[in-house]
Amino acid sequence: MMDEDLEIPAEEGMDEDLDLPEDLGPVKVGEEKEIGKQGLKKKLVKEGEGWETPENGDEVYVHYTGTLLDGTKFDSSRDRGDPFTFKLGQGQVIKGWDEGIKTMKKGENAIFTIPPELSYGASGSPPTIPPNATLQFDVELLSWVSVKDICKDGGIIKKILKEGEKWETPGDADEVLVKYEVKLEDGTVVAQTNGVEFTLRDGLLCPALSKAVKTMKRAEGALLTVKPQYGFGEKGFSEGGVPPNATLYITVELLSWKTVTDITEDKKVVKKVLKEGEGYERPNEGATVKVKLVGKLQDGTVFIKKGHGDDEADLYEFKTDEEQVIEGLDKAVLKMKKGEIALITIAPEYAFGSSGSQQELAGVPPNSIVYYEVELVSFVKDKESWDMNTEEKIEAANKKKEEGNALFKAGKFSRASKKYENAVKYIEHDSSFSDDEKKQAKTLKISCNLNTAACQLKLEDYKQAEKLCTKVLELESTNVKALYRRALAYINLADLDVAEIDIKKALEIDPDNRDVKLEYKFLKEKVKEYNKKDAKLYGKMFAGLSKNKP
């Protein structure tokens, strides 16, 4: 019976998953709704708190009274004065309980009507529950303790002792501050600390700690039950007093963490948040920003310090995406919020490169990693396209194009490409343009896409170059530059037949174009070269076949 830890056996076949809706939708007090398709019903008696509900594996604490449909009471935790606890979704109770209680909120009271298929079935539970009995349970969900199988293999079980704040959890690159205590099964303490910082991806103590902390919220406390494969394994850790194949019990609290973000894909510009900023707004490209900053070398030498006076005029002001500061700093500030303080680590490629630089307070040697502590005091965003009228959009597109041209001439193809792309964004949607403005926009789109294609050819991204030229040809099918540049892309992609079609078409339109003629000559030589290689390859194949004849 239920006074013995609710040992209600599940009937055969009842371990199959119910076809349940994800939620019941809003339910009013006194309203009854069906859960799933097997006749389980829930009538709300008292609303619960918040929005969270327990999940499979959680330890739930309830009070209940169980009756038959005629009102005969067969069990009650309330009568015993002792709440009942069990693990949800583990088959420790009848299926109707497992499925019904997972829909409840903390403090909620509901009456569940449970058909025999989800309770004791055809056999019943003599002498108090007859065969094929439909049961009613008046259940109050008092509370629950979240229990998570972190690796889904039973290797790390996390039991939440103290709920955390908000909803965020740290990422692999983040630097966390935790306190923990590690015990063996006999209660022996083998390690403890009141506060230690480490980067999650680097790990600390044993693999379980990082894996578990990654699932925790700020200020959350948890008890981890750690099997040997996630602890110290078969060898143990004799110096720390951990024997081979030991199960560990780690009590851990996540005190705080510093968010660490890879600003660039190659992880050579990294931002660590020292103080969170306000709201969600960040500077955009072209924004005017005011910052306090200190720049240091790896040995701690300060080479620049700006904005630390009492006067706002002392703040360091610059415009983003205008090469007014080193590239790494420029990129990182775009990812900051107002009031945020961050430590930015910048590799030489995004700092002062192989030449180094003489700065305000000291020289930066060649190939130096540099560190900036930056506070974003304020910023004024550059006007976004949706805030512009049509005339301003065309003007902004022209400006970006000119900036792109200057960068292209300087050999900065990646940055030039971005400027051209941004120019096109201003005029992409031209439905509100006048006829004259549409013509200007079309000319600009063609010019900027062609220039971006030229950048991509220099950067050896031939597929992207081909796509951009195709875009131009959709707007102007006789554009010789687009045909020529697309042919160059096709040649580098070894698609020689298609390249020849583009070159021939370009020569039909402009028979005297010197560049196209030269490329056609090069293409013919390339085709000959490929034909020779093919002939050689097939010759070897046929020779091999003839040798293998019976």
Side-chain angles (χ1 to χ4, degrees), residues 293 318 325-333 344 346 350 372 374:
L293 66 82
F318 66 92
V325 294
I326 58 170
E327 188 180 359
L329 181 58
D330 205 354
K331 285 178 179 292
V333 167
I344 302 160
I346 306 172
Y350 294 93
Y372 284 87
V374 181

Side-chain angles (χ1 to χ4, degrees), residues 214-398:
K214 209 188 307 184
T215 71
M216 296 174 72
K217 300 170 187 170
R218 196 180 302 270
E220 182 181 314
L223 173 63
L224 311 177
T225 303
V226 180
K227 296 297 181 188
Q229 67 266 35
Y230 294 105
F232 292 96
E234 294 177 357
K235 294 181 179 178
F237 180 46
S238 56
E239 291 174 15
V242 181
N245 295 309
T247 295
L248 305 176
Y249 297 88
I250 305 174
T251 306
V252 59
E253 183 178 350
L254 175 56
L255 301 173
S256 64
W257 74 84
K258 293 167 185 169
T259 303
V260 179
T261 309
D262 292 319
I263 301 296
T264 55
E265 286 184 11
D266 57 11
K267 304 183 190 301
K268 291 188 175 179
V269 181
V270 177
K271 176 172 78 82
K272 178 164 76 176
V273 176
L274 304 179
K275 180 185 163 227
E276 291 290 341
E278 307 164 13
Y280 298 95
E281 287 280 304
R282 292 180 171 89
N284 61 355
E285 289 169 358
T288 300
V289 302
K290 290 184 178 180
V291 300
K292 294 178 182 179
L293 66 82
V294 178
K296 295 179 182 179
L297 302 176
Q298 281 181 296
D299 64 4
T301 301
V302 175
F303 59 83
I304 188 169
K305 186 173 183 178
K306 295 278 188 182
H308 288 270
D310 297 328
D311 195 341
E312 192 180 333
D314 294 330
L315 294 173
Y316 186 49
E317 183 179 312
F318 66 92
K319 207 167 185 181
T320 61
D321 201 41
E322 293 290 343
E323 296 190 301
Q324 293 179 6
V325 294
I326 58 170
E327 188 180 359
L329 181 58
D330 205 354
K331 285 178 179 292
V333 167
L334 290 172
K335 302 292 185 184
M336 294 180 71
K337 301 171 189 173
K338 183 181 176 182
E340 181 180 320
I341 300 175
L343 177 65
I344 302 160
T345 304
I346 306 172
E349 297 91 322
Y350 294 93
F352 300 99
S354 56
S355 55
S357 173
Q358 181 58 46
Q359 292 291 293
E360 187 180 84
L361 302 176
V364 177
N367 299 310
S368 292
I369 295 172
V370 293
Y371 304 85
Y372 284 87
E373 187 172 306
V374 181
E375 180 181 352
L376 179 55
V377 178
S378 65
F379 61 89
V380 178
K381 293 178 93 169
D382 197 19
K383 201 170 186 179
E384 301 282 9
S385 62
W386 51 81
D387 293 323
M388 296 179 178
N389 61 36
T390 54
E391 189 180 332
E392 287 173 326
K393 286 179 181 180
I394 290 171
E395 189 181 325
N398 269 310

